[in-house]
Amino acid sequence: MPFYFNDFLVGQQFHTRGRTITEADIHQFAQFTGDWNPVHTDQTSAEPLHGGRIAHGPMFPGIAFGMLSQFDLIEGSAIALRGLNWEFLQPVHIGDTVRVFATISAVSPHPSKPDRGRVTFAVEVVNQHDQIVNKGSATIVIAAKPQGE
């Protein structure tokens, strides 16, 4: 059962288990987006810059919210992504394991539609060394709990 707008409170925290980034993740993202930049796909080119191939930065907002959706936070209740602000702080290499820490930073009802509201998530993606590799925020329009539930 998903969380609805009414279920979110400022300060609530959610922590995911780990997910290891694989060569297949990088290859599939490159194939999907057409981004074959050598820092992602060519070990020889990436080695002097990053110590090896790194994952595409834009993968991580999607991975983060995919990992958070395992809590049923927004599955079936999300209506729209309204805003995304993201920073890429450190490279993520093949074999790194990431976890997500999310805190609800704002909750506001829709001014004219009582069946929904906006929830802002402050998100940190950390690696296996507890280093923050990505951070950002996302505001999502989420359905209010249906009457009678």
Side-chain angles (χ1 to χ4, degrees), residues 19 21-37 40-41 54-63 88:
R19 179 190 191 287
I21 303 304
T22 67
E23 183 169 353
D25 294 328
I26 293 171
H27 181 79
Q28 288 172 353
F29 193 85
Q31 191 168 28
F32 177 73
T33 62
D35 180 353
W36 295 97
N37 186 309
H40 309 301
T41 59
I54 61 171
H56 300 73
M59 286 173 53
F60 289 96
I63 286 174
F88 310 99

Side-chain angles (χ1 to χ4, degrees), residues 1 7 35 41-42 47 56-57 69 89 95 105 118 129 136 141:
M1 172 178 283
D7 297 320
D35 180 353
T41 59
D42 178 2
E47 187 74 38
H56 300 73
S69 72
L89 304 174
S105 59
R118 290 183 180 177
H129 306 294
V141 177

